[in-house]
Amino acid sequence: MERKSPSIATIPAPGFSHLLPLIEFSKRLVVHHPHFYISFFIPTLGPPSPSTYSIFESLPPQIDFTFLPEINMEDLKTLDAETQIYQTVTLSLPSLRRHALTSFASPTHRLVAMVIDFFSMDALDIAKELKLKSYVLYPSATTSLSLCLHFPELDENHEMVPTGFRDLSQPLKLPGCISFQGKDLPDPFLERSSEAYKTILHACKQLRLPDGIIVNSFVDLEPEVVNALQESNQNQYPLVYHVGPIIQTRSTNISESDSECLRWLDNQPRNSVLYVSFGSGGTLSQDQLEELAQGLEMSGHKFLWVVRAPSASTNSAYLSAQKEDPLSYVPQGFLDRTKGQGFVVPSWAPQIEVLKHDSTGGFLTHCGWNSTLEAMVYGKPMIVWPLFAEQRMNAVMLTEQFKVAVRPIGDENNNGIVKREEVARVVKILMEGDEGKELRRRIQVFKDAAAKAVSEDGSSIMTLSNLAQEWTNLIGN
């Protein structure tokens, strides 16, 4: 009787920044180990976008996908984004059970393991029911993973965090990590009484339960915290596997209008353009959007800006697409005045191709971990402008630990808004002068380290091979 091939079930969480690392991890696994078969079971809060469908339809034949029935948005509308995401997965578990059991009976593949997102923790119960090995793909830095692993113990110290981490009197220093002020920690950690705090605490407690944690980082990027987790393991935490950087290698669905910005880049001098983008869901207020526009104009430097319609919420476009025309919100006359200096794109740009481009000399970014890794892989120094999630932690790491970025200072007397003069100042630091050259030199070091990690005998590829061998060995058990 012919031996079955190993099959992996993957359960992402809603939100492109959670879906992307699982997709790219799966692609890398089947490229290096083509005998694997991977099934995506995708919880949905609304109808999948055409771009999401096209991504899945372009995947290798060893990867299939099922969109689970939509969860009623009305049931979750009053919740914060983190709890919405978590509850969407939890409410999808009954249909997931039905699909997982069907997959389990495949004549050609044996389901041996389940890989889930950090916000899909309640799916661990299904892995246990099916006697599967379970793994969490943690989509961010090892440093923020360390915070999550230590969070349950930190939460018990009510003297240190009486009402939440916002009130920390001393910087938080985790083993192997740089220090963080309370205000730099993710929003859900800041207020003990919030629903988001309870959601994240629950997820962090569950993080002790899987057989392993797969991290989208690489050993040479964060060696101190990697070593600290290894030393403190002693069966306290699951095994941690560093397989990053996991990023897209090309953008999907580049339309004619998207190609226009790339043609514009083709006509610009080398390293002359600042790319400005706040990720797949970040939004600015109207006042901040206007200050950013005026600051880019004042800087005198060329820019390619992905504009999204403003909102009072920093993540309003994360779980639902915006319908307004973003270009109608920029200052009057701005597009005409900056015609030769800048190129403005509504809502989306082919980021991989932009960051690869020789004309792109820097990246003003919200510090989402996917964008951070892409900037490192393509060697672009950054202006960091964090908005939500763990982005403030990433910003501290990029400026103080890696020293590959500069951070604008907000006006404390005006809701933290970054004024146009400050925008112009940091753009000039990045794009001209000695400090910008030093940032560019340092980012090249990380670019080389990232390339080495995913080379044929690099640390991340070897770790992936070891993990694949562990899963293959389960066929005989």
Side-chain angles (χ1 to χ4, degrees):
M1 183 168 146
E2 191 174 345
R3 191 184 188 197
K4 291 184 178 183
S5 298
S7 174
I8 308 295
T10 59
I11 297 93
F16 190 68
S17 62
H18 291 269
L19 184 60
L20 177 64
L22 263 173
I23 290 173
E24 295 300 326
F25 170 77
S26 301
K27 285 164 61 177
R28 186 176 292 174
L29 179 63
V30 299
V31 163
H32 289 274
H33 307 277
H35 62 295
F36 273 86
Y37 187 80
I38 298 173
S39 297
F40 271 79
F41 300 103
I42 307 158
T44 55
L45 193 53
S49 67
S51 61
T52 300
Y53 263 114
S54 68
I55 289 170
F56 277 101
E57 287 168 352
S58 68
L59 292 177
Q62 302 100 312
I63 303 174
D64 72 13
F65 60 96
T66 300
F67 288 101
L68 299 174
E70 289 177 35
I71 300 304
N72 187 352
M73 181 68 178
E74 293 300 313
D75 295 339
L76 304 176
K77 200 185 316 192
T78 61
L79 301 174
D80 57 88
E82 292 84 4
T83 307
Q84 276 189 12
I85 294 170
Y86 203 95
Q87 287 297 321
T88 299
V89 179
T90 302
L91 292 170
S92 299
L93 292 185
S95 54
L96 176 60
R97 276 188 171 85
R98 290 193 294 274
H99 286 293
L101 287 166
T102 304
S103 172
F104 193 59
S106 166
T108 56
H109 298 86
R110 180 179 168 191
L111 190 59
V112 295
M114 184 178 283
V115 179
I116 65 174
D117 183 80
F118 175 72
F119 282 88
S120 304
M121 287 294 191
D122 287 353
L124 290 172
D125 291 340
I126 296 178
K128 191 174 181 181
E129 290 167 19
L130 297 177
K131 297 181 171 57
L132 301 176
K133 290 280 190 179
S134 58
Y135 299 80
V136 172
L137 193 145
Y138 191 78
S140 194
T142 316
T143 297
S144 60
L145 169 64
S146 180
L147 172 64
C148 290
L149 288 169
H150 287 93
F151 185 29
E153 284 80 21
L154 293 170
D155 171 71
E156 291 172 3
N157 188 344
H158 284 251
E159 289 184 8
M160 185 173 80
V161 281
T163 60
F165 285 80
R166 190 192 308 276
D167 300 325
L168 278 180
S169 58
Q170 298 292 326
L172 179 65
K173 182 74 169 72
L174 298 169
C177 302
I178 60 170
S179 297
F180 294 93
Q181 302 292 334
K183 62 182 175 61
D184 287 321
L185 300 180
D187 288 326
F189 291 76
L190 300 184
E191 193 62 54
R192 187 187 285 275
S193 61
S194 71
E195 196 62 38
Y197 187 100
K198 296 167 190 169
T199 297
I200 295 297
L201 179 59
H202 170 73
C204 290
K205 287 178 177 177
Q206 299 279 87
L207 199 51
R208 304 290 182 89
L209 302 180
D211 295 289
I213 301 172
I214 303 164
V215 186
N216 189 10
S217 186
F218 51 103
V219 173
D220 285 345
L221 180 61
E222 304 176 88
E224 293 86 359
V225 66
V226 169
N227 291 334
L229 283 179
Q230 287 174 341
E231 288 169 8
S232 66
N233 205 322
Q234 305 296 321
N235 298 321
Q236 186 180 1
Y237 307 128
L239 287 172
V240 178
Y241 302 83
H242 287 84
V243 297
I246 301 169
I247 64 166
Q248 283 184 297
T249 52
R250 62 184 179 87
S251 304
T252 54
N253 284 346
I254 301 179
S255 66
E256 181 60 27
S257 60
D258 299 325
S259 298
E260 195 179 343
C261 75
L262 298 178
R263 286 195 292 272
W264 181 82
L265 278 176
D266 289 341
N267 293 319
Q268 309 309 316
R270 181 180 175 85
N271 287 334
S272 67
V273 177
L274 177 70
Y275 173 52
V276 182
S277 174
F278 293 92
S280 58
T283 44
L284 303 177
S285 68
Q286 178 65 50
D287 287 347
Q288 184 61 87
L289 186 147
E290 290 179 6
E291 291 294 327
L292 175 58
Q294 303 285 9
L296 291 173
E297 184 179 353
M298 281 177 63
S299 77
H301 283 277
K302 292 180 177 291
F303 61 86
L304 170 58
W305 181 16
V306 182
V307 177
R308 191 169 284 119
S311 170
S313 170
T314 56
N315 61 358
S316 66
Y318 188 69
L319 292 176
S320 58
Q322 293 184 313
K323 296 181 174 61
E324 308 101 313
D325 175 16
L327 300 188
S328 66
Y329 292 94
V330 300
Q332 190 170 5
F334 171 78
L335 296 176
D336 290 333
R337 292 194 306 273
T338 60
K339 206 159 196 175
Q341 178 188 356
F343 194 99
V344 179
V345 183
S347 300
W348 187 88
Q351 180 157 300
I352 299 300
E353 285 70 21
V354 171
L355 288 175
K356 280 181 181 177
H357 205 287
D358 285 345
S359 295
T360 303
F363 184 13
L364 191 159
T365 173
H366 67 311
C367 307
W369 193 243
N370 291 327
S371 291
T372 296
L373 288 178
E374 288 162 6
M376 287 191 170
V377 166
Y378 298 114
K380 307 300 179 183
M382 288 163 267
I383 297 170
V384 291
W385 194 308
L387 296 177
F388 59 92
E390 88 294 4
Q391 292 162 15
R392 289 188 297 270
M393 288 183 71
N394 296 342
V396 173
M397 292 163 63
L398 288 165
T399 54
E400 297 180 17
Q401 181 177 356
F402 305 142
K403 295 182 173 59
V404 295
V406 60
R407 185 173 185 173
I409 300 168
D411 182 353
E412 291 185 6
N413 298 319
N414 192 7
N415 297 320
I417 283 182
V418 179
K419 295 291 194 175
R420 62 193 69 181
E421 295 83 3
E422 178 66 2
V423 172
R425 183 184 74 85
V426 293
V427 171
K428 288 177 180 179
I429 286 174
L430 188 73
M431 301 300 289
E432 62 188 59
D434 292 340
E435 190 172 343
K437 287 177 183 175
E438 177 60 16
L439 293 173
R440 194 162 282 109
R441 184 196 69 76
R442 287 189 61 83
I443 197 74
Q444 288 297 319
V445 175
F446 291 102
K447 177 182 180 180
D448 294 342
K452 182 181 176 185
V454 294
S455 63
E456 188 175 347
D457 57 352
S459 60
S460 293
I461 295 301
M462 297 301 291
T463 297
L464 181 66
S465 294
N466 293 337
L467 188 56
Q469 187 60 54
E470 289 176 29
W471 287 340
T472 302
N473 292 343
L474 293 172
I475 293 289
N477 296 340

